[in-house]
């Protein structure tokens, strides 16, 4: 440990060093800079590791317990069977980072930035993770990850793959998930106001009991998807312009004031939906159907669309 302190004083990069079966507790090791290091079977307990760097470092079978990792860096790092439970990673940075079997339960990753994650956050389920104001780019989360009680007030994801992802019991205000692959996703019991999926692929996705007021799906592919809501949960003012909604089902949805202009609604089903004041300008209704107690008051169609709409099957 004295060697580490000396290197810290001299502002040296700590390279090619191995730590095995070590326990670090109640220490201030902030600003350390590791490169090509190896940590195995180590415990970091109640430490200040602010602005520490683990670049090109392998961390295996380690636990960070109630540890301050603010502004830490994990560029080109490999983390296997690592726990960050109850730790603080505010403004952390990782590029080309590999997470495997990683525990982020109750961790705070707000304002963090992650680029080119090859295995997402490396776990099948994460509970109570804070990703508010985080940025995630060009990353792969298609390992069936389940987020439970995710906190994400302004979370930005771009060019990410999140096939088979599940987000449930979460607050996702201002989730920006544009140009992403989100096939077979499940969103259950979430507050998702002001979310954006512009030009994203959401084919075969499932939305159940989610608040989606002012949601933006412009140019998105929602074919074969299912929106099933309680009547009191809003999908009002949603933007579905130019979206693909073939064989998509809206059940018990409040879509008042939503925009479906130029949307493809082939074989789309609206059942017990509120479509009042919706804009269906130039939408394609081929074999679409309206069922149950669906409200069509003050709906705007072009003349041609209205002619087809009047032939909806009941």
């Amino acid at each position: 440990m004295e060697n580490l302190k000396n290197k810290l004083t001299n502002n040296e990069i700590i390279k090619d060093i191995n730590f095995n079966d070590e326990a670090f507790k109640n220490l201030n090791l902030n600003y350390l800079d590791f490169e090509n290091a190896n940590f195995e079977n180590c415990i970091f307990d109640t430490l200040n590791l602010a602005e520490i760097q683990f670049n090109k470092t392998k961390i295996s079978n380690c636990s960070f317990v109630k540890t301050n990792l603010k502004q830490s860096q994990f560029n080109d790092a490999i983390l296997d069977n690592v726990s960050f439970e109850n730790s603080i990673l505010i403004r952390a940075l990782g590029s080309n980072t590999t997470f495997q079997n990683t525990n982020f339960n109750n961790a705070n990753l707000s304002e963090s930035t992650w680029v080119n994650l090859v295995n997402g956050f490396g776990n099948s389920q994460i509970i109570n993770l804070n990703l508010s104001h985080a940025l995630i780019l060009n990353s792969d989360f298609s390992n069936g990850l389940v987020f439970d009680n995710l906190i994400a007030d302004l979370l930005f994801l771009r060019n990410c793959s999140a096939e088979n992802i599940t987000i449930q019991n979460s607050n996702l205000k201002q989730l920006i998930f544009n140009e992403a692959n989100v096939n077979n996703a499940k969103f259950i019991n979430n507050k998702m106001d002001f979310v954006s999926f512009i030009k994203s692929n959401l084919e075969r996705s499932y939305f159940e009991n989610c608040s989606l007021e002012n949601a933006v799906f412009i140019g998105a592919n929602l074919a074969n998807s299912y929106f099933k809501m309680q009547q009191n949960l809003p999908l009002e003012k949603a933007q579905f312009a130019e979206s693909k909604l073939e064989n998509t089902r809206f059940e018990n949805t409040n879509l008042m004031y939503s925009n479906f202009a130029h949307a493809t609604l082939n074989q789309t089903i609206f059942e017990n939906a509120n479509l009042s004041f919706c804009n269906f300008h130039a939408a394609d209704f081929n074999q679409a159907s309206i069922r149950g107690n669906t409200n069509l008051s003050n709906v705007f169609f072009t003349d041609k669309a209205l002619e087809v709409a009047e032939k909806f099957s009941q």
Side-chain angles (χ1 to χ4, degrees):
M1 189 59 59
E2 289 301 322
N3 289 335
L4 285 180
K5 291 181 179 178
N6 290 335
K7 290 178 181 293
L8 175 60
T9 302
N10 296 326
N11 295 318
E12 293 183 25
I13 297 176
I14 304 168
K15 293 184 176 181
D16 306 314
I17 190 169
N18 296 322
F19 293 91
N20 296 294
D21 303 306
E22 297 280 357
F24 305 98
K25 187 171 183 179
N26 297 323
L27 294 172
N28 187 348
L29 298 176
N30 56 327
Y31 304 110
L32 284 177
D33 188 350
F34 292 99
E35 187 174 310
N36 291 319
N38 183 45
F39 292 85
E40 189 167 357
N41 300 317
C42 295
I43 297 175
F44 302 84
D45 190 353
T46 321
L47 299 182
N48 180 11
L49 300 179
E51 299 190 46
I52 196 168
Q53 296 187 36
F54 291 108
N55 297 326
K56 298 180 181 179
T57 292
K58 185 174 182 180
I59 305 174
S60 304
N61 303 311
C62 294
S63 296
F64 294 83
V65 182
K66 297 181 181 178
T67 297
N68 177 10
L69 287 153
K70 287 183 179 179
Q71 296 180 249
S72 53
Q73 295 189 30
F74 299 89
N75 298 311
D76 299 297
I78 298 175
L79 294 90
D80 186 6
N81 196 29
V82 175
S83 175
F84 290 101
E85 190 164 7
N86 297 309
S87 290
I88 299 171
L89 291 96
I90 296 173
R91 293 187 291 279
L93 172 64
S95 177
N96 300 310
T97 310
T98 301
F99 292 108
Q100 301 178 73
N101 303 311
T102 311
N103 180 358
F104 282 106
N105 291 345
N106 301 302
N108 187 346
L109 275 69
S110 60
E111 302 179 39
S112 60
T113 300
W114 306 96
V115 183
N116 297 326
L117 299 182
V118 297
N119 192 37
F121 287 127
N123 205 344
S124 58
Q125 183 172 23
I126 301 177
I127 302 172
N128 299 330
L129 175 64
N130 188 340
L131 278 172
S132 294
H133 300 275
L135 171 64
I136 304 175
L137 301 175
N138 306 322
S139 296
D140 188 353
F141 291 87
S142 55
N143 55 352
L145 174 62
V146 177
F147 285 108
D148 196 336
N149 197 27
L150 173 65
I151 302 167
D153 185 354
L154 189 55
L155 169 61
F156 188 96
L157 299 98
R158 183 73 178 269
N159 293 328
C160 291
S161 178
E163 292 184 79
N164 305 305
I165 196 171
T166 297
I167 302 178
Q168 58 192 24
N169 308 314
S170 299
N171 188 342
L172 305 174
K173 187 175 181 180
Q174 290 187 285
L175 169 68
I176 312 299
F177 212 152
N178 296 337
E179 299 181 34
N181 186 7
V182 203
N183 285 351
N184 297 304
K186 293 182 175 65
F187 301 91
I188 303 171
N189 298 326
N190 299 315
K191 183 174 176 59
M192 301 176 65
D193 295 340
F194 303 99
V195 298
S196 177
F197 292 94
I198 294 174
K199 295 183 179 179
S200 288
N201 188 354
L202 288 145
E203 191 171 1
R204 296 183 300 278
S205 292
Y206 180 76
F207 295 82
E208 180 179 359
N209 295 335
C210 293
S211 170
L212 282 160
E213 190 169 8
N214 294 292
V216 180
F217 296 94
I218 294 174
N221 181 4
L222 286 152
N224 301 295
S225 294
Y226 190 10
F227 291 81
K228 182 180 181 181
M229 308 295 181
Q230 296 175 355
Q231 287 283 10
N232 61 331
L233 290 175
L235 188 48
E236 294 178 359
K237 304 174 187 174
Q239 292 286 341
F240 291 99
E242 300 181 356
S243 61
K244 297 179 180 179
L245 294 158
E246 295 99 331
N247 202 35
T248 293
R249 185 184 186 98
F250 293 91
E251 184 176 331
N252 298 326
T253 49
N254 181 2
L255 289 154
M256 185 182 290
Y257 300 108
S258 293
N259 183 7
F260 291 88
H262 297 276
T264 304
L265 297 160
N266 296 346
Q267 297 183 308
T268 302
I269 298 172
F270 296 96
E271 183 168 358
N272 299 322
N274 183 0
L275 299 177
S276 57
F277 298 97
C278 284
N279 180 4
F280 288 99
H281 170 68
D284 182 355
F285 290 101
N286 185 29
Q287 298 184 41
S289 63
I290 288 180
R291 301 176 183 178
N293 186 24
T294 293
N295 186 350
L296 282 167
S297 62
N298 298 293
V299 173
F300 173 73
F301 299 97
T302 59
D303 290 343
K304 183 176 181 180
L306 177 59
E307 183 178 324
V308 177
E310 289 174 342
K311 299 177 183 178
F312 278 172
S313 60
Q314 301 293 323

